[in-house]
Amino acid sequence: MVRLLGRSGTRSPRLGGARSAAAHERVRRPSVGRAPGGRDGQGRGVPRDGGGRGRRDSGLRAALGGRSLAGQVFVFQVVIVLLLVVAAVVALLLQSRSDTTREARSRSLAVAQTFANSPGIVAALRSPDPTAVLQPSAEAARMAAGVDFIVVTDTEGIRYTHPKPDRIGKKFVGNIAPALAGGIVVEEIEGTIGRLVQATVPVETTDGTVVGLVSSGITTKHVGGAANRQLPLLLGAAGVALALATAGTALVSRRLLRQTRGLGPREMTRMYEHHDAVLHSVREGVIIIGGEGELLLANDEAHRLLHLPDDAERRQVLELGLDPETAALLASGRVATDEVHLVGDRLLAINQRPTDLAGGPSGSVATLRDSTELRALSGRAEAARERLHLLYDAGVTVGTGLNVGRTAEELAELAVPRFADFATVDLFDAVLAGEEPEAGSALRRTALSGISKDAPLYPLGEQIRFVDSSPQARSLRTGLPVTEPDLAAASGWQVQDLERSAQIVDFGIHSLITVPVRAGALVLGVVTFWRSERPEPFDTDEVALAEELVARAAVSIDNARRFTREHGLAVTLQRSLLPRRLPAQNALDIAYRYLPAQAGVGGDWFDVLPLSGARVALVVGDVVGHGLHAAATMGRLRTAVHNFSALDLAPDELLTLLDELVGRIDQDEASDGTAAPVTGATCLYAVYDPVKQRCTMARAGHPPPAVVSPDGTVEFSDAPAGPPLGVGGLPFEATELQLAEGSRLVLYTDGLVEDRERDIDAGLELLRGALVRAASPEDTCQAVLDALLPARPSDDIALLVARTRALGADRVAEREVPMDPAAVREVRALVGRQLAEWDLEELEFTTELILSELVTNAIRYGSAPVRVRLLLDRTLICEVFDGSSTSPHLRYAALSDEGGRGLFLVAQLAERWGTRYTPNGKIIWTEQPLPQAAPQPPL
């Protein structure tokens, strides 16, 4: 048994007897005077009370006196508590001062900015006597805000206000140069009232011109005071801590004295022997080296690991036959932590610490641990950890977007160089288009990543057809990964391209793994991992890792494919539902813009609808949301507006029908449970009449249109907003605007004037400024988008700009008709003269026949008054008004019927005809195409 020097009991054969005897004598000395059983060294009994208690009390006092370990611990605790209290007091004072300064800066700056931006301050500064206006309000604000002064100065620093009136008109004390440049100055100065913090801010006009300065200040003694309130609490806590430290140390000292005084030589010897047994039984080598480099102790495990001779103790470490590096480390005594040394066929992890750090004997202690197997296990664990980390990164970095190509690039970039030296992703063209691939079709190189850019692999974007014997084709066919450990000998792979295959092998690429990209039963493509740097081919674990890596990426690629398909369908649907070109009409000069949101298609839409009587309807609507549902809902609403406009309804009546339609759509979808209801749909419907130059409009929760007069004045219509479509319960109101020729009517959706960083009021002001700077509709559209379009629109934007025209009086003929059938002859005469004036004699017969029938019906079945109006626009328009609201119906008369053929003839002769209701009656109208040589209204 090996023992430390100075121990008694069983002797170690490696240590001398003299030292053991001395150690035995040292062990016996503490027990002289009292034995464990209450006896002295001669076996006499010792009383347990009286003198014993006095000795314990004196021992406790000695312990607390600082000479014992317990006393030193007590003193150390007292010092620590005192240091903590001092540090806390200093920190409290510093924090209080910092908080005081910060609060003073914040309060003075807030008061100065508030007063500088208060209403009317600019006007006050420009008034003849700024002091008379500003001094009362400055003093009121100073007392309300709790600051020491609020000073308003001109740009030269001359005071307009001050708490002390005798200082008004004098130069302001402080740095005002940054404030004159539009900045803010906050400074700490030593003033006449003490140390203070003052903030100086500029007073600016709307164009940014600095017209004055406002300074607010407060002395630091008026802020804070928390330190005075917290200091007593802190001192009280320190006293409690000192009391607790004293009590704890006394308790520990009493227990230590009680436990150690009864420990005799025999028990101490047994304790040392137990330590020896533990030392030699541990599976870690322990050696102790003296200050001269001699080996003092080596346990059994150290002898085994270092192959030490039996007489190694008391010999120099450098003479034990160890390898030079290990011997030099042990002899040096330097600090070492888990240094690995090769000793024979073992890897030993050595930890070494000197023994004289705390006043102990010179020398060092070293432990040795066999880490050969641990290194092997650690290598495998590290490889497993790296693979798990790679899979985790695949879940985080692959599939960050919904783009198929970008997802494939992310997979290739992740694999290189952590898993492979080169990585290629080949997908079917149908997958890139969002469709399901067909077996046997060609693939396209979608992603390519490698440690160098000159590898002779197929380039990015190339279309590839893999031969049946290639690993890629086998993976696509079987749905399983394929490994080629030696490309130089893989004839099936070389058949794909003999020349390129030879170049790849010459480049140094020697093995590969191909893994199919599978999403369920659907194979989307193939991923190939190539190796060139590491000499060994891919092993079984790496094949499993590649399969798991591609499987995770395949989900993202398939999601991107599905999104591409759905996005394409939504875009196609939306483009098919929006007008591709504007209809021909002469009432308005129109320009428009439509910009989809970056996130996808939405529900914004617009339309231009020619109506009867040369009128034109303008429509702008918005369905909240994005995607197919919003686009489909937009299409349904646009179709409904088309149908309702054919009835020549007033704007408020049309929105009422549209509101009922949205309500029915919501009911159907709520009962079906497969789609969300239409929430937040808005619409603006306006009808412009070029004859009367009047615009009638109504809106359902939509932003108000802007009207730009010919002189450039911009106004936003005050038409009642009305509830959004589908809410129901409230009527819609129409309003009429009289527009001069050349006025511009601007309709838009909310995505133009508001977003996450700008509210609608700010957007409307920007829109107003852009409209003032533009002239034509096209210029207006461009100017508006330049001023308001965000960098990344979060919502669709629809913009419609219409400049009004007037149908001249020379192209309008109107006449009142008496309620007499004989008046039909006068109408025909009027038609003849007017058509001759317009050079439309070719239409005289049909027009006379149409008007004769319509006027006769109005006189016979209608009520007074009856009026006839002819309009020359892109067509010849005939209108007959009467005061009756009864609408005629087209019917087919039998051979024996005497009547019922009039409207049938009108429908055959006219290109279009219909009925339009007015508040006082109805209008029957017809349109006839003009001859090709007929004059057209000027554009």
Side-chain angles (χ1 to χ4, degrees):
M1 180 181 293
V2 178
R3 302 188 56 80
L4 286 170
L5 297 179
R7 296 179 181 176
S8 62
T10 305
R11 308 303 180 100
S12 172
R14 305 187 185 99
L15 300 179
R19 287 185 177 271
S20 298
H24 180 72
E25 186 65 25
R26 285 196 300 272
V27 171
R28 290 180 56 86
R29 286 173 186 163
S31 63
V32 174
R34 186 162 186 251
R39 296 179 178 272
D40 60 9
Q42 287 74 30
R44 295 190 296 270
V46 178
R48 295 183 179 274
D49 56 358
R53 181 178 303 171
R55 284 193 297 272
R56 286 196 299 269
D57 293 340
S58 62
L60 180 60
R61 287 194 297 270
L64 294 177
R67 292 188 297 272
S68 66
L69 176 62
Q72 294 175 0
V73 171
F74 172 71
V75 173
F76 183 65
Q77 287 179 338
V78 170
V79 172
I80 289 178
V81 171
L82 291 177
L83 288 177
L84 289 177
V85 170
V86 172
V89 170
V90 173
L92 180 61
L93 294 177
L94 293 178
Q95 183 64 34
S96 175
R97 181 174 181 181
S98 176
D99 292 344
T100 298
T101 303
R102 187 184 302 110
E103 182 178 353
R105 292 170 67 92
S106 301
R107 189 187 300 180
S108 60
L109 179 59
V111 171
Q113 287 182 326
T114 302
F115 197 84
N117 292 281
S118 61
I121 188 170
V122 176
L125 288 171
R126 293 177 173 176
S127 63
D129 188 2
T131 299
V133 179
L134 294 176
Q135 176 70 4
S137 58
E139 286 302 294
R142 178 182 65 83
M143 291 185 288
V147 296
D148 289 314
F149 66 86
I150 296 178
V151 174
V152 182
T153 72
D154 60 5
T155 56
E156 299 296 329
I158 304 303
R159 297 189 184 102
Y160 288 141
T161 68
H162 197 277
K164 297 181 178 180
D166 59 340
R167 299 187 181 182
I168 296 176
K170 297 181 180 180
K171 186 72 174 183
F172 173 73
V173 179
N175 184 16
I176 65 173
L180 293 175
I184 296 175
V185 182
V186 181
E187 53 187 346
E188 300 180 28
I189 63 173
E190 192 70 32
T192 57
I193 59 175
R195 184 174 181 81
L196 58 85
V197 177
Q198 68 179 13
T200 305
V201 299
V203 179
E204 299 178 343
T205 61
T206 56
D207 59 354
T209 303
V210 177
V211 297
L213 305 174
V214 174
S215 178
S216 173
I218 183 171
T219 57
T220 55
K221 69 178 182 179
H222 291 165
V223 183
N228 297 330
R229 298 190 297 270
Q230 296 176 2
L231 190 57
L233 178 62
L234 180 62
L235 295 178
V240 173
L242 284 174
L244 293 176
T246 304
T249 304
L251 179 61
V252 172
S253 300
R254 181 179 293 273
R255 290 188 176 182
L256 287 175
L257 290 173
R258 184 184 303 115
Q259 293 173 2
T260 56
R261 288 182 63 183
L263 190 61
R266 190 172 299 174
E267 286 76 14
M268 293 287 291
T269 301
R270 186 177 297 113
M271 181 182 68
Y272 281 130
E273 290 178 350
H274 290 167
H275 289 174
D276 275 342
V278 172
L279 180 65
H280 289 283
S281 64
V282 295
R283 298 297 296 171
E284 187 166 315
V286 179
I287 60 175
I288 300 178
I289 301 170
E292 302 298 329
E294 72 275 13
L295 179 63
L296 301 180
L297 170 68
N299 69 347
D300 295 344
E301 184 68 9
H303 274 269
R304 186 180 70 85
L305 295 176
L306 296 176
H307 305 288
L308 296 176
D310 294 338
D311 60 345
E313 282 80 5
R314 297 299 177 181
R315 294 175 58 183
Q316 291 292 321
V317 174
L318 298 177
E319 299 174 359
L320 296 178
L322 302 177
D323 68 281
E325 291 186 2
T326 305
L329 171 63
L330 298 177
S332 66
R334 63 178 176 85
V335 175
T337 302
D338 285 337
E339 283 195 17
V340 179
H341 290 259
L342 180 62
V343 179
D345 58 348
R346 298 179 183 275
L347 290 173
L348 301 183
I350 302 177
N351 289 274
Q352 183 168 268
R353 294 293 184 274
T355 58
D356 57 354
L357 296 178
S362 61
S364 61
V365 177
T367 62
L368 306 101
R369 186 175 65 255
D370 188 356
S371 62
T372 306
E373 296 181 357
L374 182 61
R375 284 280 169 172
L377 293 175
S378 299
R380 290 195 292 269
E382 180 65 22
R385 188 194 65 81
E386 176 60 27
R387 291 172 183 176
L388 289 176
H389 191 214
L390 181 64
L391 293 177
Y392 170 78
D393 288 345
V396 173
T397 61
V398 178
T400 56
L402 291 173
N403 182 274
V404 176
R406 180 56 192 156
T407 304
E409 291 174 359
E410 291 170 346
L411 171 60
E413 292 170 357
L414 175 69
V416 177
R418 297 170 61 180
F419 178 69
D421 299 318
F422 297 91
T424 58
V425 182
D426 305 316
L427 301 177
F428 291 102
D429 284 336
V431 174
L432 299 175
E435 304 296 332
E436 294 186 0
E438 297 181 0
S441 59
L443 290 88
R444 190 172 299 278
R445 178 133 300 173
T446 310
L448 170 62
S449 180
I451 58 176
S452 63
K453 299 183 179 299
D454 55 347
L457 301 171
Y458 283 117
L460 194 66
E462 175 137 350
Q463 193 176 50
I464 308 171
R465 285 187 177 274
F466 292 105
V467 298
D468 293 340
S469 61
S470 65
Q472 291 84 355
R474 282 184 285 161
S475 290
L476 294 173
R477 186 169 58 252
T478 62
L480 299 174
V482 176
T483 306
E484 285 290 356
D486 187 2
L487 295 180
S491 58
W493 168 75
Q494 294 176 0
V495 172
Q496 173 70 34
D497 189 334
L498 294 177
E499 181 180 357
R500 189 179 296 273
S501 300
Q503 294 174 353
I504 291 175
V505 173
D506 293 340
F507 187 78
I509 300 176
H510 55 79
S511 60
L512 63 81
I513 302 176
T514 62
V515 183
V517 182
R518 298 180 56 185
L522 195 64
V523 178
L524 308 177
V526 64
V527 180
T528 307
F529 301 101
W530 313 76
R531 175 166 288 176
S532 63
E533 293 294 317
R534 294 174 56 182
E536 66 274 8
F538 292 100
D539 57 24
T540 305
D541 292 340
E542 290 172 325
V543 173
L545 175 61
E547 192 172 9
E548 178 67 21
L549 186 64
V550 175
R552 297 194 179 196
V555 176
S556 300
I557 292 176
D558 189 52
N559 289 339
R561 178 189 67 85
R562 294 172 182 269
F563 173 79
T564 301
R565 181 185 61 187
E566 294 181 3
H567 182 73
L569 290 175
V571 171
T572 302
L573 174 62
Q574 186 186 41
R575 289 178 178 175
S576 66
L577 295 176
L578 289 173
R580 300 189 179 184
R581 60 178 182 177
L582 299 181
Q585 48 81 33
N586 292 330
L588 298 168
D589 182 12
I590 297 176
Y592 67 93
R593 296 289 189 276
Y594 177 80
L595 288 87
Q598 293 289 339
V601 296
D604 290 15
W605 54 284
F606 66 94
D607 223 330
V608 178
L609 306 172
L611 303 178
S612 62
R615 299 171 306 134
V616 177
L618 302 176
V619 192
V620 173
D622 184 6
V623 177
V624 174
H626 296 89
L628 282 174
H629 179 69
T633 304
M634 175 266 289
R636 297 168 76 174
L637 296 183
R638 180 171 179 257
T639 302
V641 171
H642 267 268
N643 294 332
F644 293 152
S645 66
L647 301 177
D648 270 327
L649 299 175
D652 53 339
E653 296 177 3
L654 185 142
L655 291 183
T656 300
L657 293 178
L658 199 61
D659 179 68
E660 295 176 356
L661 174 64
V662 172
R664 289 197 298 271
I665 293 175
D666 288 345
Q667 292 176 0
D668 295 342
E669 294 185 346
S671 61
D672 183 61
T674 58
V678 181
T679 57
T682 64
C683 183
L684 171 63
Y685 186 83
V687 177
Y688 174 68
D689 187 349
V691 178
K692 300 179 180 180
Q693 300 182 36
R694 183 180 303 163
C695 180
T696 306
M697 68 179 68
R699 57 192 182 110
H702 204 80
V707 179
V708 186
S709 60
D711 61 359
T713 304
V714 180
E715 294 182 358
F716 291 96
S717 172
D718 57 354
L725 298 175
V727 175
L730 295 175
F732 298 98
E733 298 182 37
T735 185
E736 290 188 353
L737 300 175
Q738 193 69 32
L739 301 179
E741 185 174 7
S743 300
R744 282 172 287 159
L745 190 63
V746 182
L747 285 67
Y748 51 91
T749 56
D750 59 355
L752 179 69
V753 294
E754 65 176 338
D755 55 24
R756 296 176 181 176
E757 300 178 356
R758 181 179 62 209
D759 59 19
I760 189 170
D761 293 333
L764 291 177
E765 288 304 315
L766 290 176
L767 177 61
R768 183 192 301 272
L771 294 177
V772 171
R773 295 190 297 268
S776 66
E778 281 293 337
D779 294 342
T780 302
C781 288
Q782 192 60 46
V784 168
L785 293 183
D786 291 342
L788 283 87
L789 183 64
R792 184 178 177 85
S794 59
D795 193 8
D796 292 9
I797 294 175
L799 175 63
L800 193 64
V801 180
R803 183 168 56 189
T804 61
R805 298 172 179 164
L807 193 63
D810 58 336
R811 293 183 174 270
V812 179
E814 187 173 8
R815 181 170 181 177
E816 192 98 11
V817 179
M819 297 294 292
D820 183 0
V824 176
R825 182 183 307 136
E826 299 178 4
V827 171
R828 286 198 294 265
L830 169 66
V831 169
R833 291 192 302 271
Q834 190 62 54
L835 294 183
E837 183 179 343
W838 289 342
D839 295 329
L840 297 177
E841 289 86 353
E842 298 179 21
L843 302 178
E844 182 176 350
F845 175 76
T846 56
T847 305
E848 289 179 356
L849 186 58
I850 290 172
L851 285 179
S852 297
E853 182 60 35
L854 295 181
V855 172
T856 300
N857 285 344
I859 294 173
R860 180 177 300 176
Y861 304 109
S863 59
V866 176
R867 290 193 300 274
V868 174
R869 186 171 71 167
L870 296 178
L871 303 177
L872 179 58
D873 193 46
R874 289 182 174 270
T875 59
L876 178 62
I877 302 172
C878 302
E879 296 181 343
V880 177
F881 169 83
D882 70 88
S884 172
S885 60
T886 302
S887 176
H889 295 283
L890 177 66
R891 65 187 183 90
Y892 296 93
L895 294 176
S896 59
D897 291 342
E898 296 183 359
R901 296 177 178 83
L903 281 182
F904 178 77
L905 291 175
V906 170
Q908 296 298 316
L909 296 174
E911 184 178 46
R912 297 173 58 224
W913 76 281
T915 304
R916 180 170 77 250
Y917 292 95
T918 67
N920 301 320
K922 68 176 182 297
I923 296 175
I924 309 298
W925 56 269
T926 65
E927 291 184 3
Q928 302 175 69
L930 299 179
Q932 294 184 356
Q936 295 289 333
L939 298 179

